[in-house]
Amino acid sequence: MTALRVDILSLFPDAFRGPLDVSILKRAREAGLLSVQLHDIRDHATDRHRTVDDYPFGGGQGMVLRVDVLDRALQHVQAQAEPPGYVIYLTPQGEVLNDSIVRELAGHQRLVLVAGRYEGVDERFVEHCVDREISIGDYVLTGGELPAMVLVDAVARHIPGALGDEASPHDESFADGLLEHPQYTRPAEYRGWEVPEVLLGGHHADIERWRREQRVARTGARRPDRLPALETTPSAPEKVGIPGIRVRDVAYPEDVPAVLNVLREAYPEGSVPSGASEAARLLEHSPGLLLVATAGGEVVGVIVAGFDGASAHLLSLAVVKEHRRRGIARALVRVLQGRLRERDCEQITAFAAPEDYVAESFLTSQGWQRASGSAWTQRL
Ligand code: 9D3
């Protein structure tokens, strides 16, 4: 059995008693998976006043925890069990705790956490006695006690068996970098607040797709720093409910000639990118926003959108003559809208020439609103 022993050195050991007695920490301790020992640094002071700190050499604000007191406290703790614990000093100067550090720490048999207060500790203690300096984020707390608890809580969840029947930490949000999708339960309607329709229908594939979209959209909106590592590979061709038709990301450069042909057939001469380099530039600026519809592997429809991070513009939409009036343009718009939502785009704008009644009736039928003479918008 893998049990983790955590020793915590602090000037306020009492601060830990509450949190250790609830939830999984309590269960893990009771199951013998986790043991937490609290130690008062002050017990290792040597003078009559139990002094643990002193004025900083060189002057300055505040007090500094003494290296001799800290070292004695640490030696005392290390001598209590085998093997020696991995020593972590909780400090605003540390590297910021994250999921991968937590997993790494959970692999140790013993951890010794040093919670500081005051303005800091004598650097010689850090240099000679500490294995790792950790912060829990960029905000100022009054001491390292809560950070030490945060660390214990996060690490304890990774002790095999500590989560009981709950999900294993392996298939969690942070593992793939995406945030979680929203959750709902009964009642399905409360004060007019409704649960998203898709969740009530029982169509498993639709629900999975919706959840995935939600996860990506939330991550993009709240934690865009996590998105770049995502799905840069083009998606698989998707069915769109029209026999024989698939929609997929453009394959570059193979599709470029076919894409340009489709656009040339539909647009006046001179309005279509004249070559591969221009097409490449489009792709570069809006990856994932150039989609093609295929029939039997041939490109029969194209949609191109530009996205500046805030709003999107429908740049081109074309379907070859033989495949018109089959709903392909609509399908392309629908898939594009999904991609834009993933990027947290709220609105898309399209331009139709004033007398282009085909475009006008298409846009109207798809729920677009005329924003001005030739501009149409749709909220996503
Ligand atoms: C960087 C601020 N220091 C400048 C003199 C003073 C200071 C502020 C707060 C020194 C210690 C503290 C107490 N905080 C911690 O010990 C601490 C902490 C935190 O404040 N935020 C996030 N993570 C951590 S881990 C330990």
Side-chain angles (χ1 to χ4, degrees):
M1 190 172 64
T2 39
L4 174 68
R5 173 177 168 138
V6 181
D7 290 281
I8 304 178
L9 278 73
S10 159
L11 290 164
F12 301 95
D14 291 335
F16 298 94
R17 309 215 187 258
L20 288 171
D21 287 331
V22 293
S23 172
I24 68 155
L25 289 183
K26 185 181 192 190
R27 203 165 62 211
R29 289 169 69 212
E30 286 172 352
L33 297 169
L34 171 71
S35 93
V36 182
Q37 310 295 322
L38 305 177
H39 309 272
D40 191 339
I41 293 169
R42 201 173 291 281
D43 291 344
H44 300 273
T46 46
D47 68 323
R48 205 159 65 82
H49 304 288
R50 307 227 295 157
T51 308
V52 295
D53 57 356
D54 210 332
Y55 297 98
F57 279 128
Q61 285 261 300
M63 303 294 274
V64 177
L65 282 173
R66 292 169 57 117
V67 61
D68 54 341
V69 175
L70 284 166
D71 184 48
R72 267 198 301 276
L74 180 60
Q75 285 185 31
H76 171 81
V77 163
Q78 291 288 37
Q80 289 183 357
E82 283 287 330
Y86 185 70
V87 181
I88 298 166
Y89 170 43
L90 286 309
T91 166
Q93 271 69 242
E95 62 186 310
V96 177
L97 189 64
N98 61 34
D99 189 57
S100 88
I101 298 173
V102 167
R103 285 168 197 267
E104 186 189 325
L105 297 179
H108 289 265
Q109 285 177 57
R110 264 194 91 188
L111 299 173
V112 177
L113 309 184
V114 181
R117 286 251 160 178
Y118 304 85
E119 294 306 303
V121 310
D122 188 303
E123 190 65 20
R124 290 168 293 179
F125 175 72
V126 180
E127 192 182 324
H128 298 284
C129 309
V130 169
D131 294 308
R132 194 127 181 201
E133 295 173 80
I134 289 178
S135 159
I136 62 162
D138 294 339
Y139 35 83
V140 179
L141 300 168
T142 53
E145 285 77 16
L146 287 170
M149 282 321 299
V150 165
L151 197 150
V152 170
D153 190 281
V155 169
R157 302 177 66 261
H158 291 269
I159 304 169
L163 290 187
D165 297 334
E166 291 160 40
S168 94
H170 297 291
D171 48 39
E172 275 175 7
S173 175
F174 286 101
D176 69 2
L178 290 179
L179 301 180
E180 282 167 16
H181 56 76
Q183 304 263 36
Y184 301 86
T185 187
R186 289 186 289 180
E189 195 244 277
Y190 171 70
R191 290 179 56 187
W193 305 340
E194 289 172 1
V195 171
E197 187 99 33
V198 62
L199 299 178
L200 307 175
H203 296 287
H204 199 66
D206 288 353
I207 291 170
E208 282 312 302
R209 195 175 313 117
W210 180 85
R211 286 182 167 164
R212 179 82 192 170
E213 275 169 20
Q214 291 289 315
R215 296 185 63 205
V216 174
R218 289 184 151 198
T219 310
R222 303 173 187 187
R223 298 297 306 276
D225 55 305
R226 289 173 171 235
L227 276 183
L230 274 177
E231 296 189 71
T232 44
T233 48
S235 62
E238 59 185 280
K239 293 186 183 179
V240 288
I242 308 166
I245 302 294
R246 298 278 191 282
V247 171
R248 59 165 171 81
D249 290 292
V250 70
Y252 181 80
E254 308 90 274
D255 282 335
V256 170
V259 164
L260 296 179
N261 280 340
V262 173
L263 292 175
R264 275 193 206 103
E265 190 187 305
Y267 284 90
E269 223 175 315
S271 67
V272 174
S274 53
S277 68
E278 219 171 316
R281 209 161 44 240
L282 264 179
L283 273 173
E284 204 174 276
H285 289 296
S286 47
L289 298 183
L290 204 167
L291 305 171
V292 296
T294 60
E298 289 281 294
V299 175
V300 297
V302 174
I303 191 163
V304 188
F307 181 49
D308 60 10
S311 68
H313 301 270
L314 184 55
L315 299 172
S316 316
L317 175 59
V319 175
V320 297
K321 276 199 189 70
E322 312 86 87
H323 288 276
R324 287 188 192 156
R325 309 207 56 77
R326 296 187 60 200
I328 295 175
R330 186 162 43 143
L332 284 165
V333 172
R334 207 166 52 230
V335 176
L336 176 76
Q337 287 167 336
R339 300 293 171 85
L340 290 170
R341 279 189 210 106
E342 287 172 6
R343 288 166 168 75
D344 207 37
C345 173
E346 290 183 352
Q347 179 168 297
I348 178 163
T349 307
F351 293 90
E355 310 273 83
D356 187 345
Y357 298 116
V358 176
E360 195 166 306
S361 77
F362 174 82
L363 293 168
T364 309
S365 73
Q366 305 303 309
W368 294 67
Q369 315 256 300
R370 195 196 285 275
S372 68
S374 57
W376 295 71
T377 63
Q378 185 172 61
R379 301 210 53 85
L380 293 171

